[in-house]
Amino acid sequence: MRIAVSGSIATDHLMTFGGKFTDTLIAEKLDKISVSLLVGCVGPDFADYRHWLESHGVDTSGVRTSATRQTARFTATNDEAGNQIASFYPGAMSEDGEIDITSLAAANGIELVLIGAGDPGAMQQHTADCRAAGIPFAADFSQQVAFLDGDAMRTLIEGAAYLFCNEYEAAVIESKTGWTGEDILARVGTRIITLGSEGARVERRGEDPLVVGPVKDATFVEPTGAGDAFRCGFLAATAWDLPLERAVELGNLIAVHALETVGPQEYELKPASLTDRARLSYGDEAAADIAAHLPA
């Protein structure tokens, strides 16, 4: 299966706050604190990042280079409990709507489009184009969940093959759309809710939820990129035609690697250790199924 991944392409700048945000924020004054800032000081750095992505096997031929804007930049400060305050400069992400997802899919044999957090207008456009062309798509609001309204969410969810979210995002989506969990399952094929240290839950209409526990030997270091890493593992297993339970297990295994490293792409996956961790957490059969698709 060939999968196209849309969303923001950004450089991340990560910082650590010595303590917990909850120790210094006053509950009655949260309406006065600024936790979201636009930052416009960036350089033309995508050439080096493109080279790095391609050297790791990522096809960047569908990436559009802006003539006037710089690469988006994400800046985050995390406290010792994993809470995060972030600012984001969108830059060239504002031109995502100029990408023709239908033509790109046709030219590259795309079988699934992950519509990740990016320019809200482009997310709407890509969703509508996939729906009109009959291309399966996955909805992944991620950090845009705070800015999309109910109408936008309903449009982005309708007909999705997969809806990815964490527990908080799931609650926000239900609140903003006015839909219950059952209402959402009537409109999507599969809803995957990550549960942090508890693993993940998969929901499908008319079926009992599938809960997959966490990786047993995980050591928390820094949370940025864990959600994206989970989706990477889940979709890789899906592309290998592994069953849903294996997809969640591999998602959890990849997410742990991001959690154990500072930076969303700084970890290294080694087939032997990945297989060992799969065996420790999910058993011999799971390890064998995953190992069959890894390099020797």
Side-chain angles (χ1 to χ4, degrees):
M1 176 187 289
R2 192 162 171 79
I3 300 172
V5 178
S6 72
S8 65
I9 299 173
T11 57
D12 288 359
H13 296 255
L14 308 177
M15 298 172 284
T16 300
F17 174 76
K20 297 180 181 179
F21 295 140
T22 51
D23 293 337
T24 57
L25 300 181
I26 302 173
E28 294 80 11
K29 298 296 183 181
L30 290 181
D31 60 326
K32 303 300 183 182
I33 185 170
S34 176
V35 296
S36 181
L37 304 172
L38 283 179
V39 180
C41 183
V42 297
D45 58 355
F46 187 66
D48 289 341
Y49 190 28
R50 182 194 293 272
H51 175 74
W52 186 91
L53 289 170
E54 292 181 346
S55 70
H56 286 78
V58 178
D59 183 350
T60 65
S61 60
V63 174
R64 179 184 182 278
T65 303
S66 172
T68 59
R69 294 183 172 98
Q70 303 297 327
T71 303
R73 177 166 293 190
F74 172 75
T75 302
T77 302
N78 305 290
D79 72 6
E80 61 187 24
N83 300 303
Q84 187 177 83
I85 294 177
S87 61
F88 188 75
Y89 161 72
M93 188 186 82
S94 302
E95 299 179 9
D96 283 356
E98 298 183 31
I99 297 173
D100 184 347
I101 198 72
T102 304
S103 297
L104 189 65
N108 292 275
I110 300 301
E111 299 174 70
L112 177 71
V113 176
L114 173 67
I115 301 176
D119 176 74
M123 293 171 71
Q124 293 279 358
Q125 178 182 318
H126 294 337
T127 300
D129 289 346
C130 285
R131 193 181 290 117
I135 304 170
F137 65 93
D140 178 14
F141 301 161
S142 189
Q143 296 197 21
Q144 287 291 24
V145 74
F147 304 102
L148 295 168
D149 61 24
D151 288 339
M153 287 185 175
R154 286 189 287 270
T155 301
L156 293 168
I157 289 171
E158 191 75 49
Y162 302 98
L163 172 62
F164 291 102
C165 53
N166 59 32
E167 287 185 287
Y168 170 75
E169 291 162 354
V172 174
I173 290 168
E174 291 182 15
S175 175
K176 287 189 175 184
T177 60
W179 289 342
T180 64
E182 290 74 17
D183 293 333
I184 290 173
L185 292 179
R187 292 169 168 85
V188 304
T190 304
R191 179 166 74 161
I192 304 100
I193 303 175
T194 55
L195 308 174
S197 62
E198 299 301 315
R201 182 173 73 250
V202 179
E203 300 174 344
R204 290 175 290 180
R205 188 180 186 186
E207 300 186 26
D208 292 334
L210 168 66
V211 178
V212 177
V215 176
K216 292 183 178 180
D217 60 348
T219 301
F220 174 84
V221 174
E222 203 277 330
T224 306
D228 289 336
F230 174 88
R231 289 144 176 76
C232 176
F234 181 95
L235 292 174
T238 299
W240 297 337
D241 290 325
L242 291 179
L244 194 57
E245 183 175 8
R246 292 289 179 269
V248 179
E249 290 167 349
L250 185 57
N252 287 344
L253 286 162
I254 305 302
V256 161
H257 282 75
L259 282 172
E260 294 178 336
T261 309
V262 176
Q265 296 177 348
E266 301 303 316
Y267 56 88
E268 182 179 1
L269 294 176
K270 297 182 178 180
S273 61
L274 185 63
T275 301
D276 288 343
R277 298 187 81 168
R279 182 177 294 108
L280 175 65
S281 296
Y282 303 119
D284 291 339
E285 185 176 349
D289 288 347
I290 292 171
H293 296 276
L294 301 177

